[in-house]
Amino acid sequence: MEFNISVIYGDGIGPEIIDSGIRVLNKIEEVYGHKFNIDRALLGGEAIDELGSPIPNETIDKCIKSDAVLLGAVGGPKWDHLKGSERPEAGLLGLRKALGVYANIRPAILFEELKEASPLKSSLIKDNIDICIVRELTGGIYFGEKGKEENEAYDVERYNREEIRRIAKTAFDMAMNRNKKVTSIDKANVLESSKLWRQVVEEVAKDYKEVELEHMYIDNGAMQLVRQPANFDVILTNNIFGDILSDEASAIVGSIGVLPSASLGEGVGLYEPIHGSAPDIAGENKANPIGTILSICLMMKNSLGLYKEGTKIEEAVKEVLKKGYRTGDIMSDNNKLVGTREMTDLIIEEIK
Ligand code: NAD
Ligand code: IPM
Ligand code: MN
């Protein structure tokens, strides 16, 4: 089959991990006889430098017309002096909004092979850890009213019923295909927006009688995640809490370098690792490409209908980890240290 994929390299380690991703796509083409028409689009810092805007119109046009979008990461110190709306990160938020991808799915699964990379002691991770974070992505404090004066600044957290209803529905639908438990994380003891969140989540839950619903305040939730990670199935939460909890969950399962994400809405899906542009290791062939490669796996399954290809990618990653190869971020004693390119070579070799 033939697909049009928009690809955004972005900044920092973006080009390195996207190079890995494109090589995986090429291998899938070769082995399964598909055709991926890869069309590069600019976003973030690279777009500011080349076209003077973090989100050029042509990028939105390209992405909207494609079958799926693959993105590396944006941002870096070079653009940190810019004001909010001109920063690389504003480009990413703008793209999410333009694509209407309100549901950000971030699976945090502890692979048997990566147990040693987890900072948690073995008694806490002896049970299966398979958490699916469902983060609201196009609302909340990221997109509310903002303002900055010399001595005062503000960002408004605002949600309406419909925004909460649709993301809650996504979480319950996911739970139905998993262990039938949703933990909704909010701050309903303080925030009005969280009170409405809880109310609407309760209403949606009525249509999913088989799913157990539990509510947690964010402070407790962040704590329970390290104390009893195996107790979570689906975590449903707002934009900012989901951002923070997903980095926390990534460390529990080994490294921020291994977590993929799928951002879904009514139209085109956006696929990106959860990490950033990692300026501290950019250009050094040190970045873990697994988060990007597993994002391609999510793309295969969620946007392209290529289930066996997606599963093959996942198996290839596990096989390489089983053989003991590791990038620096997931390195333990007795493992073999490899760089971004070598890790990619090894994974590609397993796709056959
Ligand atoms: P970061 O995720 O870029 O890096 C945090 C730490 O994790 C660093 O030590 C980094 O080296 C490490 N790390 C990240 N990805 C890795 C990988 N694939 N392999 C190995 N190690 C990895 O977060 P940060 O330092 O807070 O942000 C850096 C820049 O990235 C900022 O400009 C930020 O705004 C941006 N950012 C972009 C995205 C995105 O594009 N989706 C996400 C988060 C941060
Ligand atoms: C992420 C990032 C982004 C977010 C930033 C770069 C805008 O941290 O994708 O997790 O906060 O959503
Ligand atoms: Mn983040």
Side-chain angles (χ1 to χ4, degrees), residues 13 72-76 80 89 92 96 256-257 272-281 286-288 329:
I13 59 170
V74 298
D80 279 346
E89 292 84 348
L92 177 56
R96 290 171 177 170
I256 194 164
E272 44 171 327
I274 77 151
H275 61 72
S277 60
D280 54 333
I281 55 167
K286 285 184 181 159
N288 191 336
D329 57 316

Side-chain angles (χ1 to χ4, degrees), residues 175-230:
M176 285 300 285
N177 293 317
R178 298 170 46 95
N179 288 326
K180 299 197 168 64
K181 180 174 173 188
V182 170
T183 305
S184 176
I185 297 189
D186 62 32
K187 190 73 187 176
N189 49 347
V190 177
L191 304 177
E192 292 302 327
S193 54
S194 280
K195 282 177 203 152
L196 181 67
W197 180 278
R198 207 173 262 222
Q199 199 182 318
V200 176
V201 170
E202 291 278 355
E203 287 166 19
V204 172
K206 290 194 183 115
D207 294 333
Y208 297 85
K209 295 266 186 288
E210 288 169 61
V211 178
E212 178 197 345
L213 169 64
E214 141 186 84
H215 298 284
M216 256 182 217
Y217 298 132
I218 176 66
D219 43 357
N220 181 36
M223 187 265 286
Q224 296 300 341
L225 195 54
V226 283
R227 219 173 69 88
Q228 304 186 307

